[in-house]
Amino acid sequence: MTLPVSGRAHPLAEVLDAAGRGEFPDPDGAVRFLGQPNARDCGVIAFTAHSVVFADVDPAWACGLLPEDDLSAPLNPPFLSALEERTGRRVNNIDMLVVAEPLPGAPPLALTEITDPGHPRVRHALRHRDGVRVWRADGGIVLLGRGVAGRWEIAVEVDPGRRGRGLGALLARAGRHLLGEGRVVWAQIAPGNAASVRTFLSAGFTPVGAEALLVPAADRDA
């Protein structure tokens, strides 16, 4: 799902597609304002010395809140709080943003797809993603769906009794096998969740930036 703007991909999708190929914005200290790709997706992505704000706000107003000599300002509380007030949304978290290329062949463990749209994990995911598909493994779940600006996103969940044994990394790697050729997959990870960070790094994901999504207040942490 590439979200069209006047017959072409939204600029945010183009930025993400390039980053997925390892082509990052110039580290020029700039803050770029792109507007929202759709009604759902709103937030800030920080790459190395270059930030992207995708919110339907006046760029002149937003620039007035950002000190020119502070590269971290777009993800700092004062600016994010101002965005919250301006948009009527709430920051869900400030996440590490990681990406990985697809892998050929079959996943490294047996998976059974969950096709029930009423399954709690599917309902949960549909609040933030489109085209959601969920697979069950022995001891965990892997989920794929179209998230911010149409990018493919992955989430994994390991049953409490199976944690600490490497299953999370297998599930994350399985998602790379499920996508198909030419489709990179993204994940958002809470930096304080060290176990999750280690899981995705060991599954071959590469950190590329940080992201704060602004969601409707009713959806916060949903």
Coordinates of all heavy atoms in Angstrom, one line a residue, residues 97-180:
L97 N 13.9 2.9 15.7 CA 13.4 2.4 14.5 C 14.4 1.5 13.8 O 15.6 2.0 13.6 CB 13.0 3.6 13.6 CG 12.2 3.4 12.3 CD1 10.8 2.8 12.7 CD2 12.0 4.8 11.6
V98 N 14.1 0.3 13.5 CA 15.0 -0.6 12.9 C 14.4 -1.2 11.6 O 13.2 -1.2 11.4 CB 15.4 -1.8 13.8 CG1 16.0 -1.2 15.1 CG2 14.1 -2.6 14.2
V99 N 15.3 -1.7 10.7 CA 14.8 -2.2 9.4 C 15.7 -3.4 9.0 O 16.8 -3.5 9.4 CB 14.9 -1.1 8.3 CG1 16.3 -0.7 8.0 CG2 14.1 -1.5 7.1
A100 N 15.1 -4.3 8.2 CA 15.8 -5.5 7.7 C 15.3 -5.8 6.3 O 14.1 -5.6 6.0 CB 15.6 -6.6 8.6
E101 N 16.2 -6.4 5.5 CA 15.8 -6.9 4.2 C 15.1 -8.2 4.3 O 15.3 -9.0 5.3 CB 17.1 -7.0 3.3 CG 17.7 -5.6 3.0 CD 19.0 -5.8 2.2 OE1 19.4 -7.0 2.0 OE2 19.5 -4.8 1.7
P102 N 14.4 -8.6 3.3 CA 13.7 -9.9 3.3 C 14.8 -11.0 3.1 O 15.9 -10.8 2.7 CB 12.8 -9.9 2.0 CG 13.5 -8.9 1.1 CD 14.1 -7.9 2.0
L103 N 14.4 -12.2 3.5 CA 15.2 -13.4 3.4 C 14.6 -14.4 2.5 O 13.3 -14.6 2.6 CB 15.5 -14.0 4.8 CG 16.4 -13.2 5.7 CD1 16.4 -13.8 7.1 CD2 17.8 -13.0 5.2
P104 N 15.3 -15.2 1.7 CA 14.7 -16.2 0.9 C 14.4 -17.5 1.6 O 14.9 -17.7 2.7 CB 15.8 -16.4 -0.2 CG 17.1 -16.2 0.6 CD 16.8 -15.1 1.5
G105 N 13.5 -18.3 1.0 CA 13.2 -19.6 1.6 C 12.2 -19.5 2.6 O 11.5 -18.5 2.9
A106 N 12.0 -20.7 3.3 CA 11.0 -20.8 4.3 C 11.4 -20.3 5.6 O 12.6 -20.2 5.9 CB 10.6 -22.3 4.4
P107 N 10.5 -19.9 6.5 CA 10.8 -19.4 7.8 C 11.5 -20.5 8.6 O 11.3 -21.7 8.3 CB 9.4 -19.1 8.4 CG 8.5 -18.9 7.3 CD 9.0 -19.8 6.2
P108 N 12.3 -20.1 9.7 CA 13.0 -21.1 10.4 C 12.3 -21.9 11.5 O 12.8 -22.6 12.3 CB 14.1 -20.2 11.1 CG 13.4 -18.9 11.3 CD 12.6 -18.8 10.1
L109 N 10.9 -21.7 11.5 CA 10.1 -22.5 12.4 C 8.7 -22.6 11.8 O 8.3 -21.9 10.9 CB 10.1 -21.8 13.8 CG 9.3 -20.5 14.0 CD1 9.2 -20.2 15.5 CD2 9.8 -19.4 13.2
A110 N 8.0 -23.6 12.3 CA 6.6 -23.9 11.8 C 5.7 -22.8 12.3 O 5.6 -22.4 13.4 CB 6.1 -25.2 12.3
L111 N 4.9 -22.3 11.3 CA 3.9 -21.2 11.6 C 2.5 -21.6 11.1 O 2.4 -22.2 10.0 CB 4.3 -19.9 10.9 CG 5.7 -19.3 11.3 CD1 6.0 -18.2 10.4 CD2 5.6 -18.8 12.7
T112 N 1.5 -21.2 11.8 CA 0.1 -21.4 11.3 C -0.6 -20.0 11.3 O -0.6 -19.3 12.3 CB -0.6 -22.3 12.3 OG1 0.0 -23.6 12.4 CG2 -2.1 -22.5 11.8
E113 N -1.1 -19.6 10.2 CA -1.7 -18.3 10.1 C -3.0 -18.3 10.8 O -3.9 -19.2 10.8 CB -1.9 -17.9 8.6 CG -2.4 -16.5 8.5 CD -2.3 -15.9 7.1 OE1 -1.9 -16.7 6.2 OE2 -2.5 -14.7 6.9
I114 N -3.2 -17.2 11.6 CA -4.5 -16.9 12.3 C -5.4 -16.1 11.3 O -5.0 -14.9 11.0 CB -4.2 -16.1 13.6 CG1 -3.4 -16.9 14.5 CG2 -5.6 -15.7 14.2 CD1 -2.9 -16.2 15.7
T115 N -6.5 -16.6 10.9 CA -7.3 -16.0 9.9 C -8.6 -15.4 10.5 O -9.3 -14.7 9.7 CB -7.7 -17.0 8.7 OG1 -8.4 -18.1 9.3 CG2 -6.4 -17.5 8.0
D116 N -8.8 -15.6 11.7 CA -10.0 -15.0 12.4 C -9.8 -13.5 12.6 O -8.9 -13.1 13.4 CB -10.2 -15.7 13.7 CG -11.3 -15.1 14.5 OD1 -12.1 -14.4 13.9 OD2 -11.5 -15.5 15.7
P117 N -10.6 -12.7 11.9 CA -10.4 -11.2 12.1 C -10.8 -10.7 13.5 O -10.5 -9.6 13.9 CB -11.4 -10.6 11.0 CG -12.4 -11.7 10.8 CD -11.6 -13.0 11.0
G118 N -11.5 -11.6 14.3 CA -11.9 -11.2 15.6 C -10.9 -11.6 16.7 O -11.1 -11.3 17.8
H119 N -9.8 -12.2 16.2 CA -8.8 -12.6 17.2 C -8.2 -11.3 17.9 O -8.0 -10.3 17.2 CB -7.6 -13.4 16.5 CG -6.6 -13.9 17.4 ND1 -5.6 -13.2 17.9 CD2 -6.4 -15.2 17.9 CE1 -4.8 -14.0 18.7 NE2 -5.3 -15.2 18.7
P120 N -8.0 -11.4 19.2 CA -7.6 -10.1 19.9 C -6.3 -9.5 19.3 O -6.2 -8.3 19.2 CB -7.4 -10.6 21.3 CG -8.2 -11.8 21.5 CD -8.3 -12.5 20.1
R121 N -5.4 -10.3 18.9 CA -4.1 -9.7 18.4 C -4.4 -9.1 17.0 O -3.7 -8.1 16.7 CB -3.0 -10.8 18.3 CG -1.6 -10.3 18.2 CD -1.3 -9.5 19.4 NE 0.0 -8.9 19.4 CZ 0.3 -7.7 18.9 NH1 -0.7 -7.0 18.3 NH2 1.5 -7.1 18.9
V122 N -5.2 -9.6 16.2 CA -5.6 -9.0 14.9 C -6.3 -7.7 15.2 O -6.0 -6.7 14.5 CB -6.4 -10.0 14.1 CG1 -6.8 -9.4 12.8 CG2 -5.6 -11.3 13.8
R123 N -7.3 -7.7 16.0 CA -8.1 -6.5 16.3 C -7.1 -5.4 16.8 O -7.3 -4.2 16.4 CB -9.2 -6.8 17.3 CG -10.3 -7.7 16.8 CD -11.6 -7.4 17.7 NE -11.3 -7.4 19.1 CZ -11.3 -8.5 19.9 NH1 -11.6 -9.7 19.3 NH2 -11.1 -8.5 21.2
H124 N -6.2 -5.8 17.7 CA -5.3 -4.8 18.2 C -4.4 -4.2 17.1 O -4.3 -3.0 17.0 CB -4.4 -5.5 19.3 CG -3.2 -4.7 19.7 ND1 -3.3 -4.0 20.9 CD2 -2.0 -4.5 19.2 CE1 -2.1 -3.4 21.1 NE2 -1.3 -3.7 20.1
A125 N -3.9 -5.0 16.3 CA -3.0 -4.6 15.2 C -3.7 -3.7 14.2 O -3.2 -2.7 13.7 CB -2.4 -5.7 14.5
L126 N -5.0 -4.0 13.9 CA -5.8 -3.2 12.9 C -6.0 -1.8 13.3 O -6.4 -0.9 12.5 CB -7.1 -3.9 12.6 CG -7.0 -5.2 11.8 CD1 -8.3 -5.9 11.7 CD2 -6.5 -4.8 10.3
R127 N -5.8 -1.5 14.6 CA -5.9 -0.1 15.0 C -4.8 0.8 14.5 O -4.9 2.0 14.4 CB -6.0 0.0 16.6 CG -7.1 -0.8 17.1 CD -7.1 -0.7 18.7 NE -7.6 0.5 19.1 CZ -8.0 0.8 20.4 NH1 -7.9 -0.2 21.3 NH2 -8.5 1.9 20.7
H128 N -3.6 0.2 14.2 CA -2.5 0.9 13.8 C -1.9 0.5 12.4 O -1.0 1.2 11.9 CB -1.4 0.7 14.8 CG -1.8 1.0 16.2 ND1 -2.0 2.3 16.6 CD2 -2.1 0.2 17.3 CE1 -2.4 2.3 17.9 NE2 -2.5 1.0 18.3
R129 N -2.4 -0.6 11.8 CA -1.9 -1.0 10.5 C -3.0 -1.5 9.6 O -4.1 -1.8 10.1 CB -0.9 -2.2 10.8 CG 0.3 -1.8 11.7 CD 1.2 -3.0 11.9 NE 2.4 -2.7 12.7 CZ 2.5 -2.8 14.0 NH1 1.4 -3.3 14.7 NH2 3.6 -2.4 14.7
D130 N -2.7 -1.6 8.3 CA -3.6 -2.2 7.3 C -3.0 -3.5 6.8 O -1.8 -3.8 7.0 CB -3.7 -1.2 6.1 CG -4.2 0.2 6.6 OD1 -5.2 0.2 7.3 OD2 -3.6 1.2 6.2
G131 N -3.9 -4.3 6.2 CA -3.4 -5.5 5.6 C -2.7 -6.5 6.6 O -1.8 -7.2 6.3
V132 N -3.2 -6.5 7.8 CA -2.6 -7.3 8.9 C -2.7 -8.8 8.7 O -3.8 -9.3 8.4 CB -3.2 -6.9 10.3 CG1 -2.7 -7.8 11.4 CG2 -2.8 -5.4 10.6
R133 N -1.6 -9.5 8.9 CA -1.6 -10.9 8.9 C -0.8 -11.4 10.1 O 0.2 -10.8 10.5 CB -0.9 -11.5 7.6 CG -1.7 -11.1 6.4 CD -1.0 -11.7 5.1 NE -1.1 -13.2 5.1 CZ -0.6 -13.9 4.1 NH1 0.1 -13.3 3.1 NH2 -0.7 -15.2 4.1
V134 N -1.3 -12.4 10.8 CA -0.7 -12.9 12.0 C -0.5 -14.4 11.9 O -1.4 -15.1 11.5 CB -1.6 -12.6 13.2 CG1 -1.0 -13.1 14.5 CG2 -1.9 -11.1 13.3
W135 N 0.7 -14.9 12.4 CA 1.0 -16.3 12.4 C 1.3 -16.7 13.8 O 2.0 -16.0 14.6 CB 2.2 -16.6 11.5 CG 1.9 -16.5 10.0 CD1 1.6 -17.4 9.2 CD2 2.0 -15.2 9.3 NE1 1.5 -16.9 7.9 CE2 1.8 -15.6 7.9 CE3 2.3 -13.9 9.6 CZ2 1.8 -14.6 6.9 CZ3 2.4 -13.0 8.6 CH2 2.1 -13.3 7.3
R136 N 0.9 -17.9 14.2 CA 1.1 -18.5 15.5 C 2.2 -19.5 15.3 O 2.2 -20.4 14.4 CB -0.1 -19.1 16.0 CG 0.1 -19.8 17.4 CD 0.1 -18.8 18.5 NE 0.5 -19.4 19.8 CZ 0.7 -18.8 20.9 NH1 0.5 -17.5 20.9 NH2 1.1 -19.4 22.0
A137 N 3.2 -19.5 16.2 CA 4.2 -20.5 16.4 C 4.0 -21.2 17.7 O 3.2 -20.7 18.5 CB 5.6 -19.9 16.2
D138 N 4.8 -22.3 17.9 CA 4.7 -22.9 19.2 C 5.4 -22.0 20.2 O 6.7 -21.9 20.3 CB 5.4 -24.2 19.2 CG 5.4 -25.0 20.5 OD1 4.6 -24.6 21.4 OD2 6.2 -25.9 20.7
G139 N 4.7 -21.2 21.0 CA 5.2 -20.3 22.0 C 5.2 -18.8 21.6 O 5.7 -18.0 22.4
G140 N 4.7 -18.5 20.5 CA 4.7 -17.0 20.2 C 3.9 -16.7 18.9 O 3.3 -17.5 18.3
I141 N 3.9 -15.4 18.6 CA 3.2 -14.8 17.5 C 4.1 -13.9 16.7 O 4.9 -13.2 17.3 CB 1.9 -14.1 18.0 CG1 0.8 -15.1 18.4 CG2 1.4 -13.1 16.9 CD1 -0.4 -14.4 19.0
V142 N 4.0 -13.9 15.4 CA 4.6 -12.9 14.5 C 3.5 -12.2 13.7 O 2.6 -12.9 13.2 CB 5.7 -13.5 13.6 CG1 5.2 -14.6 12.8 CG2 6.4 -12.4 12.8
L143 N 3.6 -10.9 13.6 CA 2.6 -10.1 12.9 C 3.3 -9.2 11.8 O 4.3 -8.7 12.1 CB 1.9 -9.3 13.9 CG 0.9 -8.2 13.5 CD1 -0.2 -8.1 14.6 CD2 1.5 -6.9 13.1
L144 N 2.6 -9.1 10.7 CA 3.1 -8.2 9.6 C 1.9 -7.4 9.2 O 0.7 -7.8 9.1 CB 3.6 -9.0 8.4 CG 4.9 -9.7 8.6 CD1 5.2 -10.6 7.4 CD2 6.1 -8.8 8.8
G145 N 2.1 -6.1 8.9 CA 1.1 -5.2 8.4 C 1.7 -4.0 7.8 O 2.8 -3.6 8.0
R146 N 0.8 -3.2 7.1 CA 1.2 -1.9 6.5 C 1.0 -0.8 7.5 O -0.1 -0.6 7.9 CB 0.4 -1.6 5.3 CG 0.7 -2.6 4.1 CD 2.0 -2.3 3.4 NE 2.0 -2.8 2.1 CZ 3.0 -2.6 1.2 NH1 4.0 -1.9 1.5 NH2 3.0 -3.1 0.0
G147 N 2.1 -0.2 7.9 CA 2.0 0.9 9.0 C 2.3 2.2 8.4 O 1.6 2.6 7.4
V148 N 3.2 3.0 9.0 CA 3.4 4.4 8.7 C 3.7 4.5 7.2 O 4.7 3.9 6.7 CB 4.5 5.0 9.5 CG1 4.9 6.4 9.1 CG2 4.1 5.0 11.0
A149 N 3.0 5.4 6.5 CA 3.2 5.7 5.1 C 3.2 4.4 4.2 O 3.9 4.4 3.2 CB 4.4 6.5 4.9
G150 N 2.6 3.3 4.7 CA 2.5 2.1 3.9 C 3.7 1.2 4.0 O 3.7 0.2 3.3
R151 N 4.6 1.5 4.9 CA 5.8 0.6 5.1 C 5.3 -0.7 5.7 O 4.4 -0.7 6.5 CB 6.9 1.2 5.9 CG 6.5 1.4 7.4 CD 7.5 2.2 8.2 NE 7.1 2.3 9.6 CZ 7.5 3.2 10.4 NH1 8.4 4.1 10.0 NH2 7.1 3.1 11.7
W152 N 6.0 -1.8 5.4 CA 5.8 -3.1 6.1 C 6.4 -3.0 7.5 O 7.5 -2.7 7.7 CB 6.4 -4.2 5.3 CG 5.5 -4.7 4.2 CD1 5.8 -4.4 2.8 CD2 4.4 -5.4 4.2 NE1 4.8 -4.9 2.1 CE2 3.9 -5.6 2.9 CE3 3.6 -6.0 5.2 CZ2 2.8 -6.3 2.5 CZ3 2.5 -6.8 4.9 CH2 2.1 -6.9 3.6
E153 N 5.6 -3.4 8.5 CA 6.0 -3.4 9.9 C 5.8 -4.8 10.5 O 4.8 -5.5 10.2 CB 5.2 -2.4 10.7 CG 5.5 -0.9 10.3 CD 4.7 0.1 11.0 OE1 3.8 -0.3 11.9 OE2 4.8 1.3 10.8
I154 N 6.7 -5.1 11.4 CA 6.6 -6.4 12.1 C 6.5 -6.2 13.6 O 7.1 -5.3 14.2 CB 7.9 -7.3 11.8 CG1 7.8 -8.7 12.4 CG2 9.1 -6.6 12.2 CD1 8.9 -9.6 12.0
A155 N 5.8 -7.1 14.3 CA 5.8 -7.2 15.7 C 5.8 -8.7 16.1 O 5.2 -9.5 15.4 CB 4.5 -6.5 16.3
V156 N 6.5 -9.0 17.2 CA 6.5 -10.3 17.7 C 6.1 -10.4 19.1 O 6.2 -9.4 19.9 CB 7.9 -11.0 17.5 CG1 8.3 -11.0 16.1 CG2 8.9 -10.3 18.4
E157 N 5.6 -11.5 19.6 CA 5.1 -11.7 20.9 C 5.4 -13.1 21.4 O 5.1 -14.1 20.7 CB 3.6 -11.5 21.0 CG 3.0 -11.1 22.3 CD 1.5 -10.8 22.2 OE1 1.2 -9.6 21.8 OE2 0.7 -11.7 22.4
V158 N 6.1 -13.2 22.5 CA 6.5 -14.5 23.0 C 5.8 -14.8 24.3 O 5.6 -13.9 25.1 CB 8.1 -14.5 23.3 CG1 8.5 -15.9 23.8 CG2 8.8 -14.2 22.0
D159 N 5.2 -16.0 24.4 CA 4.5 -16.4 25.6 C 5.4 -16.3 26.8 O 6.6 -16.6 26.7 CB 4.0 -17.8 25.4 CG 3.0 -18.0 24.3 OD1 2.5 -17.0 23.8 OD2 2.7 -19.1 23.9
P160 N 4.9 -15.9 27.9 CA 5.7 -15.7 29.1 C 6.6 -16.9 29.5 O 7.8 -16.7 29.8 CB 4.7 -15.4 30.2 CG 3.5 -14.8 29.5 CD 3.5 -15.5 28.2
G161 N 6.1 -18.1 29.3 CA 6.9 -19.3 29.7 C 7.9 -19.6 28.8 O 8.7 -20.5 29.0
R162 N 8.0 -18.9 27.6 CA 9.0 -19.3 26.6 C 10.1 -18.2 26.4 O 10.9 -18.3 25.4 CB 8.3 -19.5 25.3 CG 7.3 -20.7 25.3 CD 8.0 -22.0 25.5 NE 8.9 -22.3 24.3 CZ 8.4 -22.8 23.2 NH1 7.2 -23.2 23.1 NH2 9.3 -23.0 22.2
R163 N 10.0 -17.2 27.2 CA 11.0 -16.1 27.0 C 12.4 -16.4 27.5 O 12.6 -17.3 28.3 CB 10.4 -14.8 27.8 CG 9.2 -14.3 27.1 CD 8.5 -13.2 27.9 NE 7.2 -12.8 27.4 CZ 6.3 -12.1 27.9 NH1 6.5 -11.6 29.2 NH2 5.2 -11.8 27.3
G164 N 13.3 -15.7 26.9 CA 14.7 -15.9 27.3 C 15.4 -17.1 26.6 O 16.5 -17.5 27.0
R165 N 14.8 -17.7 25.6 CA 15.3 -18.9 25.0 C 15.6 -18.7 23.5 O 15.8 -19.6 22.8 CB 14.3 -20.0 25.1 CG 13.9 -20.3 26.6 CD 13.0 -21.5 26.7 NE 12.4 -21.6 28.0 CZ 11.5 -22.5 28.3 NH1 11.0 -23.3 27.4 NH2 11.0 -22.5 29.6
G166 N 15.5 -17.4 23.0 CA 15.8 -17.2 21.6 C 14.6 -17.3 20.6 O 14.8 -17.1 19.4
L167 N 13.4 -17.5 21.2 CA 12.3 -17.7 20.3 C 11.9 -16.3 19.6 O 11.5 -16.3 18.5 CB 11.1 -18.2 21.1 CG 9.8 -18.4 20.3 CD1 10.0 -19.3 19.1 CD2 8.6 -18.9 21.1
G168 N 12.1 -15.2 20.4 CA 11.7 -13.9 19.8 C 12.5 -13.6 18.5 O 12.0 -13.1 17.5
A169 N 13.8 -14.0 18.6 CA 14.7 -13.7 17.4 C 14.3 -14.6 16.2 O 14.3 -14.2 15.1 CB 16.1 -14.0 17.8
L170 N 13.9 -15.9 16.5 CA 13.4 -16.7 15.5 C 12.1 -16.2 14.8 O 11.9 -16.2 13.6 CB 13.1 -18.1 16.0 CG 14.3 -19.0 16.2 CD1 13.9 -20.3 16.9 CD2 15.0 -19.3 14.9
L171 N 11.2 -15.6 15.6 CA 10.0 -15.1 15.1 C 10.3 -13.8 14.3 O 9.7 -13.6 13.2 CB 9.0 -14.7 16.3 CG 8.4 -15.9 17.0 CD1 7.8 -15.4 18.3 CD2 7.4 -16.6 16.1
A172 N 11.2 -13.0 14.8 CA 11.6 -11.8 14.0 C 12.2 -12.2 12.7 O 11.9 -11.6 11.6 CB 12.5 -10.9 14.8
R173 N 13.1 -13.2 12.7 CA 13.7 -13.6 11.5 C 12.6 -14.3 10.5 O 12.7 -14.1 9.3 CB 14.8 -14.6 11.8 CG 15.6 -15.1 10.5 CD 16.8 -15.9 11.0 NE 17.8 -15.0 11.5 CZ 18.7 -14.3 10.8 NH1 18.8 -14.4 9.5 NH2 19.6 -13.5 11.4
A174 N 11.7 -15.0 11.1 CA 10.6 -15.6 10.3 C 9.9 -14.5 9.5 O 9.5 -14.7 8.3 CB 9.6 -16.3 11.2
G175 N 9.6 -13.4 10.1 CA 8.9 -12.3 9.4 C 9.7 -11.8 8.2 O 9.1 -11.5 7.2
R176 N 11.0 -11.9 8.2 CA 11.8 -11.5 7.0 C 11.6 -12.5 5.9 O 11.7 -12.2 4.7 CB 13.3 -11.4 7.4 CG 13.6 -10.4 8.5 CD 15.0 -10.3 8.9 NE 15.9 -10.0 7.7 CZ 17.2 -10.1 7.7 NH1 17.8 -10.6 8.8 NH2 17.9 -9.8 6.6
H177 N 11.3 -13.8 6.2 CA 11.1 -14.8 5.2 C 9.7 -14.7 4.6 O 9.4 -15.1 3.5 CB 11.2 -16.2 5.8 CG 12.6 -16.6 6.1 ND1 13.4 -17.2 5.2 CD2 13.4 -16.4 7.2 CE1 14.6 -17.4 5.7 NE2 14.6 -17.0 6.9
L178 N 8.7 -14.1 5.4 CA 7.3 -14.1 4.9 C 7.0 -12.9 4.0 O 6.0 -13.0 3.3 CB 6.4 -13.9 6.2 CG 6.4 -15.1 7.1 CD1 5.7 -14.7 8.4 CD2 5.7 -16.3 6.5
L179 N 7.9 -11.9 3.9 CA 7.5 -10.7 3.1 C 7.6 -10.9 1.6 O 6.8 -10.4 0.9 CB 8.5 -9.6 3.5 CG 8.1 -8.7 4.7 CD1 9.1 -7.7 4.9 CD2 6.7 -8.1 4.4
G180 N 8.6 -11.6 1.1 CA 8.8 -11.7 -0.3 C 9.9 -10.8 -0.8 O 10.2 -9.8 -0.1

